[in-house]
Every structure is written in structure tokens, then in C-alpha cells.
Amino acid sequence: MSFSSEVKEELSRKVPKARHCQAAELAAIISMCGGVMIAGDGSFRMKIQTENLPVARKAFTLMKELFNIEIEVSVLCHEGGRGRRIYAILVGNHEDALCVLKATKLIDRHMEIMENLSIADNLLLQRTCCKRAFIRGAFLSAGSLSDPKKSYHFEIVCTCMAKASQLAQLMNSFGMDAKIVCRKKYFVVYLKEGSQIVDLLNVMEAHNALMDLENVRILKEMRNSVNRKVNCETANIHKTVSAAVRQIEDIEYLKNRSDFEELSDQLKEVAVLRLANPDATLKELGQMLSPPVGKSGINHRLRKLCNLAEELRGSKEEKHYD
């Protein structure tokens, strides 16, 4: 089972206690994967159709909790085969379908079905708890979440811009930064920040999935931290070795000239130490002196030796040019 499926399985078993929250979540499910059929005599039938068992189970549970109506449930094999199933929940009675649509605010006071089954009355989503329930229902019906071990990506696919904008607004009311992108004929509301996905799982009350995701994030952060330290140490070692090689080359150059004997005792002492200890750090070289010298003092003396070698090389090149 994928991580996204695990989250949906957990959310499908989370049934709000308050009726207004139940209505908000059911409204999201109907809006995302439901439809209304109008007969020639003007009567309504409402149908929810999904390939996701947790969605069907949640829709059925919410309807049973909210309404004392007759609900037909059917399971069909997908036309493409491969063992995939389509779960259908049908409210065939006109009065029952009307009752559901009114409770979920998917029909206005003039008995007109809202375009694309968008929410007709924002009073349904005034409470924070109802906003949580609506987002939960929308994700259950049309959302997906990537495996956090690979990447962080949360999205909910909407059939129209109005739904996507409303959903993004609801998510952003909880401090998210949800974005919308057009993908073919759909509008996708998405998040890509791991910390925001964790916060949204908390909003939807998927606490088990939240803990799993946090554990993955902690392990990733630890690995990244270790990698950064290793890379930093490797770079420092490379830098130290390169500097030591240049210093030894410059000291060897000075030793092959008579100028070396004219150096001060401090510079000659450091030069001899560096040649004898090519792998030693500046701090280690300083501790070998008597009295010991700090890292900055050793660095200063070695820099003077290198500068002197560069000057002598430069003067030699000038004479050769002349």
C-alpha cells in the first residue's frame, strides 16, 4: 500500500462527531466525485462514484450518520480490467437526494444545482472544524501524496478553477502556501514543502501519517546534516593538503637558493618543520615549536615564506626576459 493510500485509509475511519462537520466533509466528497442526474419530470438522483474504497466507505458512513434515507451501493469491474473496481453510491429517491444536496449546500434556495457542484453557501465552512473536514473530504476524493522517502508533494485535483481557488483559500487559512497549476483540463492545488504537508496532515487529523512523515523528515535531515559535515571536512582536508603542497614547493625553492640562509631563525625553523612534517596541520606545527606558537602565527610565517618565493620567481622571470 502506498503512503497516499495509507493516509486515505486513516482518514476514512475518522468520522466527525458534529453534524455540521459531517455535512462539510460529505459536501467535499460529493463536489469532487459526485454527480446529480435530473429526470424529465425534474426529479433528482444523486450518485457518488469512485475507484477508492475508503472514499466510498466514508461517503456511505456520513450519509448514514446524517440522514435516514435509502442508499444503494454497487461495485462494478473497471472497463479496462486489471482487477480495478468502481464503487457507486446512489440516492435514487428525489426527496432523499434533495435532502442531501440541501444539507451539503450544493443546491441554492431556488432549487438550482450549483455549477460543478461547488459550495453554494459559505455558511457551511464558517467554522474552523468544518474547514478541516472539507479539506479532509477533498483529499480523500481527489488527492494524492507522494512517498516522503522520495519527495514531498501533496496535491488535490479539481475539475474547475472555482473549486481549486476555494480549496486553496481554505488551505491557506491554516497558514499554508497552496499553489494552483493547470494540468491538461484539470486544476491542481498543491504543496511541496515538507513542513507544510506535515501541518496539513495535522489539519486533516491524520495523526498516524503525520508521525510517519515526521520520522522520515528527521532521518532525511540527519543524513543531510552528516553529508554536509563530511563534505565540509573533505573540502577542508583538500584545502589543507593543497596548501601544504604549495608551502613545501616554495620552501624547497628557497632552500635551493642562497637566500634561504639569510632568512630569520623563526622562518627557517618553520620551514624545516614543514618539510619534516608535510601532513601536519598549522596547529600541530605550532605545538612542535618551543615555545609553542598559535595557528595564526604559523600561518603568518608560512605566508611570508611563500610570498618571498613568489617574489624571487618573479624577479628571475624578469631577468630572463631582459
Side-chain angles (χ1 to χ4, degrees):
M1 184 181 291
S2 67
F3 184 71
S4 185
S5 297
E6 290 176 1
V7 176
K8 290 188 177 185
E9 184 66 30
E10 180 182 355
L11 292 178
S12 71
R13 302 183 186 281
K14 173 70 179 178
V15 180
K17 293 182 180 179
R19 290 180 62 83
H20 47 79
C21 292
Q22 293 173 0
E25 188 165 357
L26 182 60
I29 294 173
I30 297 172
S31 179
M32 292 295 177
C33 59
V36 178
M37 295 155 283
I38 305 176
D41 60 358
S43 62
F44 295 152
R45 297 172 69 204
M46 195 203 70
K47 187 177 184 180
I48 295 174
Q49 188 166 292
T50 177
E51 295 181 2
N52 197 316
L53 178 58
V55 178
R57 183 171 59 232
K58 188 62 171 288
F60 180 83
T61 302
L62 291 173
M63 284 190 187
K64 281 296 184 183
E65 290 283 336
L66 283 167
F67 314 108
N68 182 24
I69 59 176
E70 184 177 344
I71 304 170
E72 297 178 31
V73 180
S74 60
V75 182
L76 303 173
C77 290
H78 196 279
E79 292 179 359
R82 298 182 183 178
R84 299 177 70 182
R85 296 178 176 181
I86 299 176
Y87 302 93
I89 298 174
L90 175 68
V91 180
N93 180 274
H94 170 74
E95 293 299 328
D96 292 344
L98 195 60
C99 179
V100 174
L101 292 172
K102 285 182 177 179
T104 54
K105 302 296 190 265
L106 295 173
I107 190 170
D108 63 17
R109 64 179 182 275
H110 303 297
M111 306 300 290
E112 293 289 335
I113 302 295
M114 298 306 293
E115 184 179 3
N116 295 308
L117 290 177
S118 295
I119 299 300
D121 190 345
N122 282 331
L123 289 175
L124 186 68
L125 302 175
Q126 288 297 305
R127 297 180 177 91
T128 300
C129 57
C130 292
K131 293 178 181 179
R132 291 174 181 269
F134 187 89
I135 295 172
R136 181 167 57 241
F139 174 75
L140 259 175
S141 307
S144 65
L145 185 56
S146 64
D147 185 346
K149 294 177 182 178
K150 298 177 181 178
S151 63
Y152 300 125
H153 185 82
F154 174 101
E155 71 176 36
I156 299 176
V157 180
C158 303
T159 55
C160 66
M161 189 61 183
K163 287 183 184 180
S165 298
Q166 181 187 39
L167 188 55
Q169 185 178 2
L170 286 174
M171 291 165 61
N172 291 341
S173 69
F174 290 96
M176 308 299 160
D177 186 23
K179 300 289 196 313
I180 300 174
V181 63
C182 182
R183 186 186 298 162
K184 294 182 180 179
K185 61 179 181 179
Y186 298 103
F187 298 86
V188 181
V189 183
Y190 70 93
L191 295 172
K192 295 188 78 69
E193 288 290 333
S195 59
Q196 291 198 8
I197 294 174
V198 168
D199 291 341
L200 194 58
L201 287 175
N202 187 48
V203 166
M204 296 190 298
E205 299 180 276
H207 299 128
N208 291 336
L210 184 154
M211 293 302 298
D212 292 340
L213 180 53
E214 278 289 53
N215 288 337
V216 172
R217 290 184 69 223
I218 291 170
L219 286 174
K220 277 189 174 182
E221 284 298 321
M222 288 178 63
R223 290 195 190 101
N224 291 338
S225 178
V226 170
N227 288 336
R228 283 193 296 269
K229 288 180 180 178
V230 169
N231 292 337
C232 184
E233 289 176 3
T234 301
N236 287 337
I237 291 171
H238 180 74
K239 182 179 178 182
T240 300
V241 171
S242 299
V245 169
R246 288 196 304 270
Q247 292 161 5
I248 290 171
E249 289 176 352
D250 290 338
I251 292 170
E252 291 285 3
Y253 177 78
L254 291 173
K255 280 196 70 176
N256 294 330
R257 295 176 57 93
S258 58
D259 308 73
F260 186 78
E261 297 302 324
E262 298 176 7
L263 296 176
S264 66
D265 292 339
Q266 290 182 339
L267 292 181
K268 281 194 285 187
E269 186 178 18
V270 170
V272 171
L273 272 178
R274 170 49 84 195
L275 291 176
N277 303 276
D279 297 328
T281 64
L282 297 180
K283 183 178 180 181
E284 291 169 344
L285 288 176
Q287 292 173 346
M288 294 177 188
L289 294 174
S290 183
V293 177
K295 181 179 174 180
S296 60
I298 292 293
N299 188 47
H300 175 70
R301 295 179 190 182
L302 287 171
R303 190 183 296 117
K304 287 185 70 174
L305 289 168
C306 293
N307 290 340
L308 178 59
E310 287 299 317
E311 290 175 8
L312 292 174
R313 287 192 185 99
S315 62
K316 182 179 179 181
E317 289 174 3
E318 290 176 6
K319 290 179 180 178
H320 179 73
Y321 178 78
D322 292 340

PDB file of all heavy atoms in Angstrom, residues 162-188:
ATOM      1  N   ALA A 162     -12.887  27.336 -10.054  1.00  0.00           N
ATOM      2  CA  ALA A 162     -13.637  27.806  -8.887  1.00  0.00           C
ATOM      3  C   ALA A 162     -13.405  26.894  -7.687  1.00  0.00           C
ATOM      4  O   ALA A 162     -13.166  27.357  -6.570  1.00  0.00           O
ATOM      5  CB  ALA A 162     -15.132  27.887  -9.219  1.00  0.00           C
ATOM      6  N   LYS A 163     -13.441  25.578  -7.924  1.00  0.00           N
ATOM      7  CA  LYS A 163     -13.192  24.630  -6.834  1.00  0.00           C
ATOM      8  C   LYS A 163     -11.760  24.744  -6.333  1.00  0.00           C
ATOM      9  O   LYS A 163     -11.505  24.713  -5.125  1.00  0.00           O
ATOM     10  CB  LYS A 163     -13.454  23.198  -7.316  1.00  0.00           C
ATOM     11  CG  LYS A 163     -14.906  22.848  -7.506  1.00  0.00           C
ATOM     12  CD  LYS A 163     -15.038  21.380  -7.904  1.00  0.00           C
ATOM     13  CE  LYS A 163     -16.475  21.016  -8.209  1.00  0.00           C
ATOM     14  NZ  LYS A 163     -16.623  19.606  -8.605  1.00  0.00           N
ATOM     15  N   ALA A 164     -10.809  24.837  -7.276  1.00  0.00           N
ATOM     16  CA  ALA A 164      -9.399  24.920  -6.904  1.00  0.00           C
ATOM     17  C   ALA A 164      -9.119  26.173  -6.077  1.00  0.00           C
ATOM     18  O   ALA A 164      -8.404  26.119  -5.062  1.00  0.00           O
ATOM     19  CB  ALA A 164      -8.528  24.905  -8.157  1.00  0.00           C
ATOM     20  N   SER A 165      -9.680  27.302  -6.486  1.00  0.00           N
ATOM     21  CA  SER A 165      -9.471  28.561  -5.759  1.00  0.00           C
ATOM     22  C   SER A 165     -10.052  28.486  -4.359  1.00  0.00           C
ATOM     23  O   SER A 165      -9.443  28.932  -3.383  1.00  0.00           O
ATOM     24  CB  SER A 165     -10.106  29.723  -6.529  1.00  0.00           C
ATOM     25  OG  SER A 165      -9.492  29.879  -7.790  1.00  0.00           O
ATOM     26  N   GLN A 166     -11.272  27.916  -4.257  1.00  0.00           N
ATOM     27  CA  GLN A 166     -11.915  27.792  -2.949  1.00  0.00           C
ATOM     28  C   GLN A 166     -11.102  26.885  -2.030  1.00  0.00           C
ATOM     29  O   GLN A 166     -10.878  27.194  -0.858  1.00  0.00           O
ATOM     30  CB  GLN A 166     -13.322  27.232  -3.109  1.00  0.00           C
ATOM     31  CG  GLN A 166     -14.067  27.086  -1.780  1.00  0.00           C
ATOM     32  CD  GLN A 166     -15.395  26.364  -1.941  1.00  0.00           C
ATOM     33  OE1 GLN A 166     -15.493  25.410  -2.712  1.00  0.00           O
ATOM     34  NE2 GLN A 166     -16.406  26.815  -1.241  1.00  0.00           N
ATOM     35  N   LEU A 167     -10.606  25.776  -2.583  1.00  0.00           N
ATOM     36  CA  LEU A 167      -9.833  24.827  -1.792  1.00  0.00           C
ATOM     37  C   LEU A 167      -8.502  25.432  -1.352  1.00  0.00           C
ATOM     38  O   LEU A 167      -8.088  25.287  -0.197  1.00  0.00           O
ATOM     39  CB  LEU A 167      -9.592  23.552  -2.603  1.00  0.00           C
ATOM     40  CG  LEU A 167      -8.972  22.374  -1.866  1.00  0.00           C
ATOM     41  CD1 LEU A 167      -9.784  21.997  -0.635  1.00  0.00           C
ATOM     42  CD2 LEU A 167      -8.850  21.182  -2.804  1.00  0.00           C
ATOM     43  N   ALA A 168      -7.830  26.127  -2.265  1.00  0.00           N
ATOM     44  CA  ALA A 168      -6.560  26.775  -1.919  1.00  0.00           C
ATOM     45  C   ALA A 168      -6.773  27.823  -0.830  1.00  0.00           C
ATOM     46  O   ALA A 168      -5.955  27.961   0.091  1.00  0.00           O
ATOM     47  CB  ALA A 168      -5.945  27.416  -3.163  1.00  0.00           C
ATOM     48  N   GLN A 169      -7.870  28.553  -0.936  1.00  0.00           N
ATOM     49  CA  GLN A 169      -8.188  29.565   0.077  1.00  0.00           C
ATOM     50  C   GLN A 169      -8.409  28.927   1.447  1.00  0.00           C
ATOM     51  O   GLN A 169      -7.942  29.435   2.470  1.00  0.00           O
ATOM     52  CB  GLN A 169      -9.428  30.344  -0.356  1.00  0.00           C
ATOM     53  CG  GLN A 169      -9.780  31.507   0.569  1.00  0.00           C
ATOM     54  CD  GLN A 169     -10.995  32.284   0.073  1.00  0.00           C
ATOM     55  OE1 GLN A 169     -11.594  31.940  -0.940  1.00  0.00           O
ATOM     56  NE2 GLN A 169     -11.362  33.322   0.797  1.00  0.00           N
ATOM     57  N   LEU A 170      -9.115  27.802   1.473  1.00  0.00           N
ATOM     58  CA  LEU A 170      -9.350  27.096   2.733  1.00  0.00           C
ATOM     59  C   LEU A 170      -8.035  26.606   3.332  1.00  0.00           C
ATOM     60  O   LEU A 170      -7.796  26.747   4.540  1.00  0.00           O
ATOM     61  CB  LEU A 170     -10.285  25.912   2.509  1.00  0.00           C
ATOM     62  CG  LEU A 170     -11.768  26.216   2.279  1.00  0.00           C
ATOM     63  CD1 LEU A 170     -12.515  24.938   1.926  1.00  0.00           C
ATOM     64  CD2 LEU A 170     -12.387  26.876   3.497  1.00  0.00           C
ATOM     65  N   MET A 171      -7.182  26.030   2.492  1.00  0.00           N
ATOM     66  CA  MET A 171      -5.891  25.534   2.975  1.00  0.00           C
ATOM     67  C   MET A 171      -5.021  26.681   3.485  1.00  0.00           C
ATOM     68  O   MET A 171      -4.373  26.568   4.531  1.00  0.00           O
ATOM     69  CB  MET A 171      -5.173  24.765   1.857  1.00  0.00           C
ATOM     70  CG  MET A 171      -5.845  23.440   1.499  1.00  0.00           C
ATOM     71  SD  MET A 171      -5.289  22.712  -0.077  1.00  0.00           S
ATOM     72  CE  MET A 171      -3.548  22.462   0.263  1.00  0.00           C
ATOM     73  N   ASN A 172      -5.033  27.782   2.771  1.00  0.00           N
ATOM     74  CA  ASN A 172      -4.206  28.926   3.167  1.00  0.00           C
ATOM     75  C   ASN A 172      -4.700  29.595   4.444  1.00  0.00           C
ATOM     76  O   ASN A 172      -3.942  30.298   5.113  1.00  0.00           O
ATOM     77  CB  ASN A 172      -4.146  29.946   2.031  1.00  0.00           C
ATOM     78  CG  ASN A 172      -3.358  29.434   0.832  1.00  0.00           C
ATOM     79  OD1 ASN A 172      -2.575  28.493   0.964  1.00  0.00           O
ATOM     80  ND2 ASN A 172      -3.557  30.034  -0.320  1.00  0.00           N
ATOM     81  N   SER A 173      -5.963  29.363   4.779  1.00  0.00           N
ATOM     82  CA  SER A 173      -6.481  29.923   6.036  1.00  0.00           C
ATOM     83  C   SER A 173      -5.829  29.269   7.252  1.00  0.00           C
ATOM     84  O   SER A 173      -5.914  29.780   8.360  1.00  0.00           O
ATOM     85  CB  SER A 173      -8.006  29.754   6.105  1.00  0.00           C
ATOM     86  OG  SER A 173      -8.364  28.389   6.256  1.00  0.00           O
ATOM     87  N   PHE A 174      -5.153  28.142   7.022  1.00  0.00           N
ATOM     88  CA  PHE A 174      -4.424  27.456   8.088  1.00  0.00           C
ATOM     89  C   PHE A 174      -2.923  27.745   8.019  1.00  0.00           C
ATOM     90  O   PHE A 174      -2.115  27.028   8.610  1.00  0.00           O
ATOM     91  CB  PHE A 174      -4.653  25.941   8.002  1.00  0.00           C
ATOM     92  CG  PHE A 174      -6.046  25.517   8.371  1.00  0.00           C
ATOM     93  CD1 PHE A 174      -7.009  25.310   7.397  1.00  0.00           C
ATOM     94  CD2 PHE A 174      -6.404  25.340   9.704  1.00  0.00           C
ATOM     95  CE1 PHE A 174      -8.296  24.921   7.730  1.00  0.00           C
ATOM     96  CE2 PHE A 174      -7.689  24.952  10.054  1.00  0.00           C
ATOM     97  CZ  PHE A 174      -8.641  24.754   9.066  1.00  0.00           C
ATOM     98  N   GLY A 175      -2.562  28.796   7.294  1.00  0.00           N
ATOM     99  CA  GLY A 175      -1.155  29.189   7.216  1.00  0.00           C
ATOM    100  C   GLY A 175      -0.363  28.481   6.143  1.00  0.00           C
ATOM    101  O   GLY A 175       0.876  28.525   6.160  1.00  0.00           O
ATOM    102  N   MET A 176      -1.035  27.828   5.207  1.00  0.00           N
ATOM    103  CA  MET A 176      -0.333  27.154   4.108  1.00  0.00           C
ATOM    104  C   MET A 176      -0.011  28.144   2.995  1.00  0.00           C
ATOM    105  O   MET A 176      -0.441  29.294   3.015  1.00  0.00           O
ATOM    106  CB  MET A 176      -1.187  26.010   3.542  1.00  0.00           C
ATOM    107  CG  MET A 176      -1.704  25.042   4.580  1.00  0.00           C
ATOM    108  SD  MET A 176      -0.376  24.211   5.464  1.00  0.00           S
ATOM    109  CE  MET A 176      -1.254  23.681   6.938  1.00  0.00           C
ATOM    110  N   ASP A 177       0.730  27.665   2.021  1.00  0.00           N
ATOM    111  CA  ASP A 177       1.024  28.460   0.830  1.00  0.00           C
ATOM    112  C   ASP A 177       0.678  27.607  -0.392  1.00  0.00           C
ATOM    113  O   ASP A 177       1.545  27.261  -1.200  1.00  0.00           O
ATOM    114  CB  ASP A 177       2.495  28.873   0.812  1.00  0.00           C
ATOM    115  CG  ASP A 177       2.815  29.825  -0.332  1.00  0.00           C
ATOM    116  OD1 ASP A 177       1.888  30.496  -0.824  1.00  0.00           O
ATOM    117  OD2 ASP A 177       3.991  29.884  -0.757  1.00  0.00           O
ATOM    118  N   ALA A 178      -0.603  27.242  -0.486  1.00  0.00           N
ATOM    119  CA  ALA A 178      -1.055  26.365  -1.565  1.00  0.00           C
ATOM    120  C   ALA A 178      -1.020  27.105  -2.898  1.00  0.00           C
ATOM    121  O   ALA A 178      -1.408  28.266  -2.994  1.00  0.00           O
ATOM    122  CB  ALA A 178      -2.472  25.874  -1.275  1.00  0.00           C
ATOM    123  N   LYS A 179      -0.555  26.409  -3.908  1.00  0.00           N
ATOM    124  CA  LYS A 179      -0.486  26.964  -5.266  1.00  0.00           C
ATOM    125  C   LYS A 179      -1.436  26.183  -6.174  1.00  0.00           C
ATOM    126  O   LYS A 179      -1.829  25.054  -5.878  1.00  0.00           O
ATOM    127  CB  LYS A 179       0.936  26.856  -5.811  1.00  0.00           C
ATOM    128  CG  LYS A 179       1.992  27.595  -5.003  1.00  0.00           C
ATOM    129  CD  LYS A 179       1.840  29.091  -5.146  1.00  0.00           C
ATOM    130  CE  LYS A 179       3.081  29.864  -4.691  1.00  0.00           C
ATOM    131  NZ  LYS A 179       3.635  29.466  -3.415  1.00  0.00           N
ATOM    132  N   ILE A 180      -1.777  26.787  -7.311  1.00  0.00           N
ATOM    133  CA  ILE A 180      -2.661  26.144  -8.280  1.00  0.00           C
ATOM    134  C   ILE A 180      -1.946  26.088  -9.628  1.00  0.00           C
ATOM    135  O   ILE A 180      -1.360  27.072 -10.072  1.00  0.00           O
ATOM    136  CB  ILE A 180      -3.983  26.914  -8.440  1.00  0.00           C
ATOM    137  CG1 ILE A 180      -4.725  26.989  -7.102  1.00  0.00           C
ATOM    138  CG2 ILE A 180      -4.876  26.257  -9.491  1.00  0.00           C
ATOM    139  CD1 ILE A 180      -5.970  27.863  -7.142  1.00  0.00           C
ATOM    140  N   VAL A 181      -1.989  24.921 -10.262  1.00  0.00           N
ATOM    141  CA  VAL A 181      -1.402  24.775 -11.595  1.00  0.00           C
ATOM    142  C   VAL A 181      -2.420  24.069 -12.485  1.00  0.00           C
ATOM    143  O   VAL A 181      -3.169  23.197 -12.030  1.00  0.00           O
ATOM    144  CB  VAL A 181      -0.081  23.964 -11.530  1.00  0.00           C
ATOM    145  CG1 VAL A 181      -0.322  22.539 -11.047  1.00  0.00           C
ATOM    146  CG2 VAL A 181       0.626  23.958 -12.870  1.00  0.00           C
ATOM    147  N   CYS A 182      -2.460  24.466 -13.751  1.00  0.00           N
ATOM    148  CA  CYS A 182      -3.366  23.840 -14.714  1.00  0.00           C
ATOM    149  C   CYS A 182      -2.649  22.644 -15.336  1.00  0.00           C
ATOM    150  O   CYS A 182      -1.538  22.780 -15.853  1.00  0.00           O
ATOM    151  CB  CYS A 182      -3.770  24.841 -15.794  1.00  0.00           C
ATOM    152  SG  CYS A 182      -4.941  24.169 -16.987  1.00  0.00           S
ATOM    153  N   ARG A 183      -3.270  21.470 -15.257  1.00  0.00           N
ATOM    154  CA  ARG A 183      -2.690  20.256 -15.824  1.00  0.00           C
ATOM    155  C   ARG A 183      -3.730  19.630 -16.752  1.00  0.00           C
ATOM    156  O   ARG A 183      -4.716  19.087 -16.290  1.00  0.00           O
ATOM    157  CB  ARG A 183      -2.294  19.296 -14.714  1.00  0.00           C
ATOM    158  CG  ARG A 183      -1.540  18.056 -15.190  1.00  0.00           C
ATOM    159  CD  ARG A 183      -1.322  17.091 -14.045  1.00  0.00           C
ATOM    160  NE  ARG A 183      -0.499  17.674 -13.000  1.00  0.00           N
ATOM    161  CZ  ARG A 183      -0.450  17.191 -11.756  1.00  0.00           C
ATOM    162  NH1 ARG A 183      -1.199  16.146 -11.410  1.00  0.00           N
ATOM    163  NH2 ARG A 183       0.325  17.756 -10.851  1.00  0.00           N
ATOM    164  N   LYS A 184      -3.471  19.762 -18.046  1.00  0.00           N
ATOM    165  CA  LYS A 184      -4.434  19.336 -19.073  1.00  0.00           C
ATOM    166  C   LYS A 184      -5.755  20.071 -18.837  1.00  0.00           C
ATOM    167  O   LYS A 184      -5.798  21.290 -18.838  1.00  0.00           O
ATOM    168  CB  LYS A 184      -4.590  17.824 -19.054  1.00  0.00           C
ATOM    169  CG  LYS A 184      -3.319  17.085 -19.464  1.00  0.00           C
ATOM    170  CD  LYS A 184      -3.528  15.573 -19.489  1.00  0.00           C
ATOM    171  CE  LYS A 184      -2.237  14.880 -19.910  1.00  0.00           C
ATOM    172  NZ  LYS A 184      -2.372  13.405 -19.926  1.00  0.00           N
ATOM    173  N   LYS A 185      -6.848  19.343 -18.570  1.00  0.00           N
ATOM    174  CA  LYS A 185      -8.147  20.010 -18.375  1.00  0.00           C
ATOM    175  C   LYS A 185      -8.495  20.165 -16.902  1.00  0.00           C
ATOM    176  O   LYS A 185      -9.605  20.550 -16.559  1.00  0.00           O
ATOM    177  CB  LYS A 185      -9.254  19.240 -19.095  1.00  0.00           C
ATOM    178  CG  LYS A 185      -9.444  17.814 -18.602  1.00  0.00           C
ATOM    179  CD  LYS A 185     -10.581  17.131 -19.352  1.00  0.00           C
ATOM    180  CE  LYS A 185     -10.785  15.696 -18.840  1.00  0.00           C
ATOM    181  NZ  LYS A 185     -11.899  15.024 -19.526  1.00  0.00           N
ATOM    182  N   TYR A 186      -7.538  19.865 -16.017  1.00  0.00           N
ATOM    183  CA  TYR A 186      -7.789  19.935 -14.577  1.00  0.00           C
ATOM    184  C   TYR A 186      -6.983  21.061 -13.926  1.00  0.00           C
ATOM    185  O   TYR A 186      -6.026  21.586 -14.499  1.00  0.00           O
ATOM    186  CB  TYR A 186      -7.441  18.597 -13.925  1.00  0.00           C
ATOM    187  CG  TYR A 186      -8.267  17.442 -14.422  1.00  0.00           C
ATOM    188  CD1 TYR A 186      -7.737  16.522 -15.322  1.00  0.00           C
ATOM    189  CD2 TYR A 186      -9.583  17.271 -14.004  1.00  0.00           C
ATOM    190  CE1 TYR A 186      -8.496  15.456 -15.791  1.00  0.00           C
ATOM    191  CE2 TYR A 186     -10.355  16.210 -14.463  1.00  0.00           C
ATOM    192  CZ  TYR A 186      -9.805  15.314 -15.363  1.00  0.00           C
ATOM    193  OH  TYR A 186     -10.566  14.272 -15.825  1.00  0.00           O
ATOM    194  N   PHE A 187      -7.395  21.401 -12.700  1.00  0.00           N
ATOM    195  CA  PHE A 187      -6.703  22.422 -11.915  1.00  0.00           C
ATOM    196  C   PHE A 187      -6.236  21.762 -10.613  1.00  0.00           C
ATOM    197  O   PHE A 187      -7.045  21.199  -9.877  1.00  0.00           O
ATOM    198  CB  PHE A 187      -7.635  23.600 -11.628  1.00  0.00           C
ATOM    199  CG  PHE A 187      -8.100  24.306 -12.872  1.00  0.00           C
ATOM    200  CD1 PHE A 187      -9.221  23.854 -13.559  1.00  0.00           C
ATOM    201  CD2 PHE A 187      -7.388  25.378 -13.380  1.00  0.00           C
ATOM    202  CE1 PHE A 187      -9.646  24.481 -14.721  1.00  0.00           C
ATOM    203  CE2 PHE A 187      -7.804  26.016 -14.542  1.00  0.00           C
ATOM    204  CZ  PHE A 187      -8.928  25.568 -15.219  1.00  0.00           C
ATOM    205  N   VAL A 188      -4.941  21.818 -10.380  1.00  0.00           N
ATOM    206  CA  VAL A 188      -4.336  21.068  -9.273  1.00  0.00           C
ATOM    207  C   VAL A 188      -3.883  22.036  -8.177  1.00  0.00           C
ATOM    208  O   VAL A 188      -3.111  22.970  -8.433  1.00  0.00           O
ATOM    209  CB  VAL A 188      -3.131  20.244  -9.760  1.00  0.00           C
ATOM    210  CG1 VAL A 188      -2.530  19.447  -8.601  1.00  0.00           C
ATOM    211  CG2 VAL A 188      -3.549  19.316 -10.898  1.00  0.00           C
TER     212      VAL A 188
END
